[in-house]
Amino acid sequence: MFSSLAWLRAFAFALLVLSPSTSAREETIFTSSVTYCNPPETLLISRFEVAYFPQNSSVAFNVSAASVQPNVSVTANLFLNVYGMKPLNLTLDLCNILGGALCPLPMYNFTGADSLSLPDSLGINGRIPSIAFSIPDLEGFAQLTLTEVGTGNIKACVQATLANGWSAHQEAVEWTTGGLAIFAFLAALLVSFLSKDAQNVTPFRFVDLISLFQAIASSALLSLNYPSVYRAFALNFAWALGLFPTEENGAIQSSINKMRHRTGGRLADAAQGSAVQFVNRKLSPYNDNLVAIGLPSISTTNSDLLTRQLEPAQQIAPNLARRFVNLVQRGTEGTVTGEVKTVTNSSANVLQAGLPIYVNSLHVATGNAFMTVFLVALMMFAIGLAVLALGYGVYVLVRRRRRTTKTQEGFIYLAFSRSWVLRLSLIALSPLLIFIFNQWTLKDSWASILLSVLTLVALILLIGYPSFTTLRLAHTRSPFELYTPAHPHLQAAGPLYAQYRVPRYYFYFCAPLVGTVLRALFIAFAQSNDTAQIALMVALEVCLVAVHLVLRPHPSRGGDVFSTFVAVVRMLAAGLSIAFLQGLDVKPIPRVVIGFVMVVVFGVAVIVVVVNFFVNLVAVCLPRRKGGSGEKDEGGDGGEKGLKEGSWSSSGGSSTLDSNEKEGGLGLVLQASSSEGHGDGQRAVRPHNPTPEASSPVENGTVLASFPISPTGTTVTSVGPPSPYTGYSRDSASLTVGSLLPRRWSESFGYETGTDEGYAGEGSSEGYFGSPSAAGSRRGSESVPGSPAWRSRPGSSGGSSSAHGGLGLGRKGSSSRGLQGMQVQERIVEDEAA
């Protein structure tokens, strides 16, 4: 065992290895995207980059713009919105600053970059909270509006979103989670191949890990006003949905665009630049429909006041005006047609909440989403089939080299491959259903719609057929038949039910499968009504948690706790998402706080699931000891100690059920049923013989003492063999238990002394015959396993080999002779009764 300090050192080393490299950043706020908030008339902008540095209150800019109308005198309004607060609202008369160089606006195409210091009298540092420079995914924008003097007409309106360089969307997180998924896939594939056990828990934990990644990503697809930080966090797991960040003009997206347009597609392609510039202005990061709160604003048009405020700046940089004018004059004549888009609330290119914003943030057009996921799913299946084909080649090679050795019975590689194709289908089910249904709502390209229908049919065949055969087998025969070891159906369709208890074999069909289908339906077909969408999602998650708590499908408490924990996490995330409803108008700062809480909740869930996977993987790789036996069990259950507990056990060729030990006369029925759950072909065993109710306890591991003869009935006291004249009856209360019988009399009645071997099970000397409650009293009569008290000795009534009337069986070969002895005794009893 490692000490606690060693574990801490290992954890710290892992953090250093896995954590992305970081470097110190200077506090700054800069523009991340630029759009027109009104169709331009006077000012055309092709580049607008501005950065503010609070350390020295300076502004750096890189601007490329052109003024195209003559004799236009304007006033400039600079407006700043940060989390719905408006700390700056400044109006400048351009005719009264910089010596009138900007009045009227010169008709120049100017491009320039420079930096200048702002006067302290403006108090910019005091109006911007310090947290704005360090909080991830800052929500804010600046707006510049040029209004014509005299008429009040808006000649230009430019919006620029703000950022500080920090974001919850990190490339290192994408690579780390993707690497974990690849490692988990290879480890689960190898473990399932080596263990040859369809009930091994490691492959199931791999599917749980991918499902959690998909849950995080799909939680940002609802039509809600998510804070920018949570949307960025969910983008880290977009790969789990088959959406990988692509280049603006990537080969795959260009091919999909051509295919859509040639088959009737009318939706726009993915725009260049950040998708933030096309977000609806009522949503984050703009929050333009909210009332200003918190900080006071500056609003003035007094030319004298502005002149006095700019005087300190002229003292700091005496040549500032001249430098600015020189930047303008250095521009060449002509009009520059920029690529800045015009985006208003009524524009056709506005991205609405939910799936459109999410996929376009990855440079994937809304109309391309399904085709992108479809192609990635094809690649995944191709890679999976290639790995399985390679594994089959290795398997055949090993078998040929070991021709003299007997291969493991019951293992069928084709069934093993089918099980992994089924697992890949279960992984691809959720993203494919979401984007298939979403493609139907777009009504865009007929080729995309046709492929979506064919994909749905393929999913039904890949998942529906194993589900049908599983339910049919359980209904027509028995649920226990599903868990027969080495059975081809268990090996092929085990991913659907093998991790659950026998009575709960149907759990996947009534909870995870139904939940996946309903989530996809809610995300795709309820986009127009965010209230109904989130209400249905919350109700679904609550029902799934209730189903986990009521049915408790796993055979171990740990499995139930784990699955319930994941369901509760999804329910909490859905409940917290209620605050993102657009109709509630929750302020940006509370929404951001709730977004951080959701990030923490899902982050903890990811850590728990990853740790659980590695714990189970280590438990499979390391041998474990059976309880009280000292023998090593190389085929562990993957850390879930109770995975097969409560289902049929297959140790020593016997099969028992915990509840069977208390069912009395049902022992024969249950044990007969349990024999169907094993691949050794052993038939049902008879109930075990009971020990008399008045048995003395075992002391110090010694043999059971002889039981006293009943004083109330006629007893056998002679040393001769029992006869009809001794008054013995099988139905009487008097027994010969405890009398020492010579060996020759035992042999004369068909006995044969021997070991404790028998069909009753390994380590037990209990015979075939006994009362109907034999199975029910088995626990009370057992001694210490392996003790000499379990051995049958000639002429002794000790141990459980003695039955009523002194009859019992020893080794397997004496079964027929023992039966003859019983028949003789029955004839004697019948003659006596007559």
Side-chain angles (χ1 to χ4, degrees), residues 264-543:
R266 297 181 303 273
L267 296 179
D269 300 337
Q272 295 183 355
S274 175
V276 176
Q277 58 186 327
F278 299 102
V279 173
N280 191 323
R281 275 19 184 188
K282 297 180 180 180
L283 306 176
S284 294
Y286 293 94
N287 305 304
D288 199 19
N289 61 327
L290 300 177
V291 181
I293 57 175
L295 298 178
S297 62
I298 300 176
S299 181
T300 178
T301 57
N302 190 308
S303 302
D304 296 337
L305 177 60
L306 292 175
T307 303
R308 290 195 301 268
Q309 289 178 341
L310 288 174
E311 286 177 357
Q314 293 177 352
Q315 295 176 1
I316 297 175
N319 298 325
L320 177 61
R322 188 183 310 109
R323 290 162 54 192
F324 188 86
V325 172
N326 291 336
L327 287 173
V328 175
Q329 293 178 349
R330 282 201 301 267
T332 59
E333 296 183 1
T335 302
V336 177
T337 56
E339 298 181 356
V340 179
K341 304 295 182 179
T342 301
V343 181
T344 63
N345 291 334
S346 58
S347 301
N349 57 355
V350 173
L351 296 177
Q352 301 300 333
L355 190 147
I357 295 178
Y358 189 87
V359 298
N360 279 271
S361 299
L362 301 168
H363 300 292
V364 176
T366 305
N368 293 6
F370 163 72
M371 288 302 304
T372 302
V373 175
F374 171 75
L375 293 177
V376 172
L378 285 182
M379 297 176 190
M380 180 188 70
F381 277 101
I383 294 174
L385 292 176
V387 172
L388 292 174
L390 180 62
Y392 180 73
V394 174
Y395 176 70
V396 172
L397 181 62
V398 171
R399 289 187 59 183
R400 289 182 177 179
R401 290 191 174 184
R402 298 182 180 181
R403 291 180 179 178
T404 57
T405 62
K406 184 178 180 181
T407 59
Q408 185 165 351
E409 298 179 358
F411 179 73
I412 304 174
Y413 192 87
L414 179 60
F416 169 79
S417 301
R418 288 172 56 193
S419 69
W420 273 98
V421 172
L422 179 58
R423 285 191 179 93
L424 295 179
S425 302
L426 296 178
I427 291 173
L429 178 64
S430 177
L432 283 177
L433 285 182
I434 291 174
F435 291 101
I436 285 173
F437 297 152
N438 180 73
Q439 186 66 38
W440 295 353
T441 63
L442 298 177
K443 301 178 181 179
D444 186 45
S445 168
W446 63 263
S448 299
I449 296 176
L450 177 61
L451 287 176
S452 66
V453 174
L454 296 178
T455 304
L456 182 61
V457 173
L459 287 175
I460 294 175
L461 293 177
L462 291 173
I463 300 176
Y465 179 74
S467 302
F468 169 74
T469 56
T470 298
L471 297 176
R472 182 183 61 181
L473 182 62
H475 179 71
T476 57
R477 302 190 65 177
S478 171
F480 301 106
E481 190 75 16
L482 299 174
Y483 292 83
T484 303
H487 195 284
H489 184 81
L490 176 62
Q491 295 185 17
L496 296 174
Y497 64 88
Q499 63 174 328
Y500 305 122
R501 294 187 291 129
V502 176
R504 301 290 184 264
Y505 72 93
Y506 55 83
F507 182 80
Y508 176 80
F509 309 107
C510 69
L513 181 60
V514 173
T516 299
V517 175
L518 291 181
R519 290 189 192 99
L521 291 173
F522 299 158
I523 292 174
F525 294 109
Q527 297 183 54
S528 59
N529 192 332
D530 57 345
T531 304
Q533 193 178 49
I534 191 61
L536 293 172
M537 293 293 290
V538 172
L540 174 62
E541 300 300 341
V542 171
C543 291

Side-chain angles (χ1 to χ4, degrees), residues 7 10 12 95 126 143 166 293 362 367 415-416 427 434 441 578 588 626 737 761:
W7 281 113
C95 295
Q143 177 175 304
W166 298 100
I293 57 175
L362 301 168
F416 169 79
I427 291 173
I434 291 174
T441 63
I578 297 176
K626 296 181 179 179
V737 177

Side-chain angles (χ1 to χ4, degrees), residues 502-810:
V502 176
R504 301 290 184 264
Y505 72 93
Y506 55 83
F507 182 80
Y508 176 80
F509 309 107
C510 69
L513 181 60
V514 173
T516 299
V517 175
L518 291 181
R519 290 189 192 99
L521 291 173
F522 299 158
I523 292 174
F525 294 109
Q527 297 183 54
S528 59
N529 192 332
D530 57 345
T531 304
Q533 193 178 49
I534 191 61
L536 293 172
M537 293 293 290
V538 172
L540 174 62
E541 300 300 341
V542 171
C543 291
L544 291 178
V545 172
V547 169
H548 278 83
L549 294 176
V550 173
L551 295 181
R552 290 180 294 179
H554 294 82
S556 66
R557 181 177 300 177
D560 287 331
V561 170
F562 175 80
S563 62
T564 305
F565 167 76
V566 176
V568 169
V569 167
R570 300 190 68 155
M571 182 187 67
L572 289 177
L576 291 172
S577 298
I578 297 176
F580 303 151
L581 282 171
Q582 301 180 43
L584 296 181
D585 287 337
V586 179
K587 302 301 181 183
I589 292 180
R591 283 193 295 105
V592 171
V593 172
I594 295 175
F596 275 110
V597 173
M598 293 180 63
V599 170
V600 173
V601 170
F602 273 127
V604 171
V606 169
I607 294 175
V608 170
V609 174
V610 170
V611 170
N612 182 274
F613 175 82
F614 280 101
V615 168
N616 284 282
L617 182 62
V618 172
V620 170
C621 298
L622 296 181
R624 63 185 183 88
R625 296 180 178 273
K626 296 181 179 179
S629 66
E631 297 180 0
K632 291 185 178 181
D633 182 8
E634 302 293 345
D637 56 359
E640 297 286 348
K641 297 190 297 182
L643 180 61
K644 302 175 185 176
E645 184 180 308
S647 59
W648 305 108
S649 65
S650 56
S651 175
S654 63
S655 58
T656 59
L657 203 70
D658 290 346
S659 60
N660 186 25
E661 297 175 332
K662 297 183 181 179
E663 293 295 335
L666 298 178
L668 179 60
V669 178
L670 292 178
Q671 292 196 22
S673 300
S674 69
S675 65
E676 299 177 0
H678 298 278
D680 54 8
Q682 189 177 1
R683 308 302 298 173
V685 298
R686 299 175 181 265
H688 302 301
N689 286 334
T691 300
E693 297 179 358
S695 60
S696 302
V698 178
E699 297 179 359
N700 300 326
T702 59
V703 69
L704 293 174
S706 300
F707 295 95
I709 302 175
S710 172
T712 60
T714 304
T715 60
V716 179
T717 57
S718 64
V719 296
S723 67
Y725 307 102
T726 59
Y728 166 78
S729 175
R730 289 187 67 197
D731 298 329
S732 64
S734 57
L735 305 174
T736 59
V737 177
S739 300
L740 298 177
L741 300 179
R743 175 183 177 88
R744 62 180 179 276
W745 295 335
S746 174
E747 293 177 350
S748 65
F749 280 89
Y751 315 122
E752 180 176 353
T753 60
T755 64
D756 56 348
E757 298 175 356
Y759 290 105
E762 182 181 357
S764 172
S765 61
E766 298 170 337
Y768 279 165
F769 305 104
S771 65
S773 62
S777 60
R778 179 164 54 109
R779 278 189 174 178
S781 63
E782 290 179 352
S783 178
V784 179
S787 173
W790 288 94
R791 300 294 180 185
S792 298
R793 299 192 301 175
S796 173
S797 62
S800 59
S801 294
S802 298
H804 292 276
L807 294 175
L809 291 178

Side-chain angles (χ1 to χ4, degrees), residues 211-223:
S211 298
L212 178 61
F213 291 160
Q214 293 176 346
I216 298 174
S218 61
S219 65
L221 300 180
L222 302 179
S223 300

